[in-house]
Amino acid sequence: MTEAILLVGGRGTRLRPLTVNTPKPMVPAAGVPFLTHQLARARAAGVEHIVLATSYLAEVFEPYFGDGSALGLHIEYVTEEEPLGTGGAIRNVAARLHSGPDEPVLIFNGDILTGLDIRALVATHESTGADVSLHLTRVDDPRAYGLVPTDPSGRVTAFLEKPQTPAEIVTDQINAGAYVFRRSVIDSIPAGRPVSVERETFPELLATGAHLQGMVDSTYWLDLGTPQAFVRGSADLVLGRAPSPAVPGRCGDRLVLPTARVAPDAKLTGGTVVCEGAQVGEGARVMGSTILSGAVVEPGAVITDSLVGARARIGERTVLFGTVVGDGAVIGPDNELREGVRIWCEAHIPAGALRFSSDQ
């Protein structure tokens, strides 16, 4: 297995305003675009050729990654003119693959942070003679996911929609968003129209007797679809809880990139990242958060489990908890923003304008 497809065309609507100016896979996690971590892990597993299936803000990817040689890869780019879904996107890039009909092709979603043993998934695919092999993971509460039950040998027996009642929860195994396809299966997906692998391709393959193999790997796994999850994923990369060879520094409580400036008495903990050109002022406390390039955190601000967008400014003594601040936004001094608040790009909040508690 030497080539892969990465599905990076989604609009990232659940992540807005992070994705207003930046496609989801290019939002920085642990100091580099999230996609960098996926590319580096694929390369470490032996992948040499990767096709990026792009759509939303497609023009951003190639100027950053080029031909992939800096990562030891050969990267090609294919852009969808209209959204084609997961299956349609896979089929749309098939002409760029070099694999023969029976050779394996790795495919994974561009918004999953995982410690998956990629080589083990490929080995499972080859040893079982499967047409498609799926990475499955177990979750405590599977109600938000489609379920993938398997028989004792790991062969997939069904694809079940999100369960609505306890009786419908027949397994805690879910589709974790990484697959190995036999190349000929990719070529069998209908071309030129939207196709969902989860709702159409996989159920149809099962119905025709194809061999779909599940491999349960319950190492680190996180869907980065929400701002809260994205912030957590970045912190986990810095802390070393999520593995990646692309973290630009040693794992620990904090990651401060070279041109960032942090006051000597500022406190950074919990996997906090301060990106290029950002500033953190005197007495500020930043915990488990990401401060993107060029942002300014003024003295005495307290930021927890939050993301501060590029060129944004957080005023003195302002408190952020579980908050996302869009690119270029300005939050004046003495504000207090709490769980779930999203401040849009370029918005301005005056001093002391918004609080969840008394100002005394």
Side-chain angles (χ1 to χ4, degrees), residues 16-355:
R16 288 168 69 87
L18 298 181
T19 52
V20 169
N21 301 317
T22 307
K24 176 168 52 176
M26 296 298 289
V27 176
V32 296
F34 173 68
L35 180 56
T36 309
H37 300 288
Q38 292 187 308
L39 293 171
R41 294 201 71 241
R43 182 68 191 94
V47 173
E48 298 172 357
H49 175 223
I50 291 186
V51 185
L52 297 187
T54 67
S55 179
Y56 176 64
L57 296 176
E59 67 277 7
V60 173
F61 294 93
E62 189 166 3
Y64 189 90
F65 292 107
D67 64 2
S69 57
L71 292 169
L73 291 163
H74 172 50
I75 298 178
E76 295 188 69
Y77 306 84
V78 177
T79 301
E80 300 168 25
E81 299 305 321
E82 298 291 336
L84 293 172
T86 48
I90 293 168
R91 181 65 180 84
N92 192 50
V93 307
R96 301 294 184 93
L97 299 175
H98 309 314
S99 300
D102 289 326
E103 292 181 319
V105 178
L106 176 69
I107 300 172
F108 47 111
N109 293 337
D111 55 1
I112 300 296
L113 178 59
T114 177
L116 168 68
D117 185 338
I118 296 171
R119 291 184 186 271
L121 181 63
V122 176
T124 296
H125 178 79
E126 294 179 335
S127 65
T128 60
D131 295 297
V132 178
S133 297
L134 298 88
H135 171 209
L136 307 179
T137 193
R138 293 189 172 101
V139 294
D140 293 333
D141 184 0
R143 290 176 296 176
Y145 305 95
L147 308 184
V148 187
T150 54
D151 70 12
S153 71
R155 189 160 179 161
V156 174
T157 58
F159 290 90
L160 307 176
E161 288 299 311
K162 296 174 184 177
Q164 303 300 311
T165 66
E168 293 178 297
I169 303 177
V170 298
T171 181
D172 60 356
Q173 296 174 177
I174 66 165
N175 177 355
Y179 321 107
V180 178
F181 273 61
R182 189 189 301 270
R183 165 63 194 273
S184 58
V185 174
I186 294 175
D187 292 332
S188 73
I189 297 172
R193 68 170 178 85
V195 180
S196 165
V197 290
E198 300 86 355
R199 296 181 180 86
E200 183 176 344
T201 305
F202 292 158
E204 287 185 0
L205 286 169
L206 272 188
T208 58
H211 181 171
L212 277 69
Q213 185 73 21
M215 189 193 84
V216 177
D217 183 313
S218 294
T219 53
Y220 185 98
W221 183 86
L222 185 64
D223 177 352
L224 301 185
T226 66
Q228 293 75 20
F230 201 97
V231 170
R232 177 183 153 200
S234 178
D236 284 348
L237 283 162
V238 174
L239 292 166
R241 294 172 181 166
S244 171
V247 176
R250 284 191 286 181
C251 293
D253 242 11
R254 54 190 267 173
L255 174 63
V256 178
L257 296 190
T259 60
R261 289 188 290 163
V262 177
D265 64 344
K267 188 173 183 180
L268 310 179
T269 59
T272 286
V273 183
V274 184
C275 291
E276 300 280 359
Q279 301 175 42
V280 179
E282 293 82 359
R285 288 180 289 146
V286 188
M287 294 152 281
S289 299
T290 296
I291 313 300
L292 292 185
S293 298
V296 176
V297 177
E298 294 185 353
V302 179
I303 300 175
T304 305
D305 298 340
S306 298
L307 189 145
V308 177
R311 307 176 314 283
R313 178 175 290 269
I314 309 302
E316 295 184 34
R317 299 173 300 280
T318 280
V319 174
L320 306 182
F321 189 97
T323 299
V324 175
V325 178
D327 297 343
V330 177
I331 314 298
D334 300 307
N335 282 289
E336 180 188 1
L337 308 180
R338 296 211 166 255
E339 288 93 338
V341 171
R342 304 185 191 209
I343 304 301
W344 232 248
C345 300
E346 312 299 336
H348 285 234
I349 296 182
L354 181 58
R355 298 193 62 85

